[in-house]
């Protein structure tokens, strides 16, 4: 496979990434780390196996310096009425500063960034296509739990289907590290509850 083909494949993968642009490092890190064979995390006490939650393997591998996965759990459709994901990730150094700055941005700006696909240089050179109505709406709000700052990102389909997804994120400093507990669920209340459970497990 040539360099041009490889670069094209990489660009295609980049275009298909989630529109959760600001915290893409957190989410992509969680998903990639979960694919790494090795030791499992300690799990989350409030999200136990008896309720369908399964710990994911995190190993000792990290994407880059400054990122550490502490635990990740997943509740699959086969054992849960509602799928879910929760994780605790620690950042240090420049990576911690970058993630913290992104999470502390103005909510209105965050909503715009979350709902906007990543910039694609190749796409900008093409003739612009007529834009239809947005397929989803994104709202970002702040909350506080366990004495730390929280961020709630809610995405709802605009077609009246009622489909939605929420990512709840709690973040705070632990010495020189930035700890991030996040949870993904279909509704805001569950996402917040699971994020709090993940934070308590840190």
């Amino acid at each position: 496979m040539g360099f041009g083909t490889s670069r094209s494949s990489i660009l295609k993968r980049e275009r298909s990434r989630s529109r959760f642009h600001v915290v893409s490092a957190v989410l992509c890190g969680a998903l990639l780390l979960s694919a790494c064979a090795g030791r499992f995390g300690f799990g989350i006490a409030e999200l136990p196996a008896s309720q369908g939650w399964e710990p994911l393997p995190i190993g000792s591998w990290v994407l880059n310096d400054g990122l550490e996965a502490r635990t990740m759990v997943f509740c699959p459709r086969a054992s849960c009425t509602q799928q879910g994901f929760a994780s605790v990730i620690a950042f240090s150094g420049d990576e911690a500063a970058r993630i913290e700055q992104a999470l502390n941005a103005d909510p209105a700006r965050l909503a715009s960034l979350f709902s906007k696909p990543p910039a694609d240089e190749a796409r900008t050179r093409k003739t612009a296509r007529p834009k239809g109505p947005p397929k989803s709406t994104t709202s970002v709000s702040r909350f506080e739990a366990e004495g730390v700052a929280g961020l709630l990102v809610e995405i709802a389909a605009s077609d009246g289907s009622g489909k939605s997804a929420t990512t709840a994120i709690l973040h705070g400093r632990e010495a020189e590290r930035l700890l991030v507990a996040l949870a993904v669920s279909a509704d805001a209340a569950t996402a917040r509850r699971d994020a709090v459970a993940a934070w308590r497990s840190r």
Side-chain angles (χ1 to χ4, degrees):
M1 184 180 289
F3 174 75
T5 303
S6 298
R7 187 171 184 275
S8 175
S9 298
I10 292 172
L11 288 174
K12 286 180 182 178
R13 285 197 298 271
E14 289 295 324
R15 286 196 295 269
S16 66
R17 281 188 178 182
S18 166
R19 292 180 305 164
F20 295 126
H21 185 53
V22 175
V23 292
S24 61
V26 178
L27 299 179
C28 290
L31 293 175
L32 287 173
L33 283 168
S34 69
C36 177
R39 71 173 180 85
F40 287 78
F42 294 106
I44 296 174
E46 295 177 40
L47 303 176
S50 61
Q51 294 179 12
W53 290 89
E54 302 175 4
L56 295 173
I58 57 177
S60 57
W61 180 74
V62 294
L63 282 174
N64 51 46
D65 291 339
L67 186 153
E68 171 201 353
R70 294 195 173 181
T71 190
M72 286 182 286
V73 294
F74 175 64
C75 207
R77 195 182 302 277
S79 57
C80 298
T81 55
Q82 185 171 280
Q83 286 180 305
F85 172 81
S87 177
V88 178
I89 302 173
F91 297 91
S92 59
D94 292 341
E95 193 71 5
R98 188 175 69 83
I99 295 297
E100 189 170 34
Q101 182 178 20
L103 292 173
N104 285 329
D106 176 71
R109 181 172 176 270
L110 276 172
S112 174
L113 291 172
F114 272 105
S115 61
K116 185 169 105 177
D120 184 341
E121 185 179 337
R123 190 181 340 186
T124 58
R125 291 198 296 265
K126 295 180 181 178
T127 303
R129 296 180 181 178
K131 293 183 178 179
K135 295 181 180 180
S136 63
T137 58
T138 303
S139 64
V140 177
S141 58
R142 297 200 179 279
F143 68 98
E144 185 175 313
E146 301 295 305
V148 294
L151 189 68
L152 204 64
V153 183
E154 300 175 78
I155 296 181
S158 301
D159 58 6
S161 64
K163 293 180 180 179
S164 64
T166 300
T167 299
I169 304 166
L170 286 170
H171 59 99
R173 284 282 179 173
E174 181 186 76
E176 298 301 315
R177 292 177 179 268
L178 173 70
L179 289 188
V180 174
L182 66 90
V184 181
S185 187
D187 66 87
T190 303
R192 282 183 60 158
R193 181 201 67 196
D194 294 348
V196 169
W199 181 263
R200 288 173 179 164
S201 75
R202 70 191 186 283

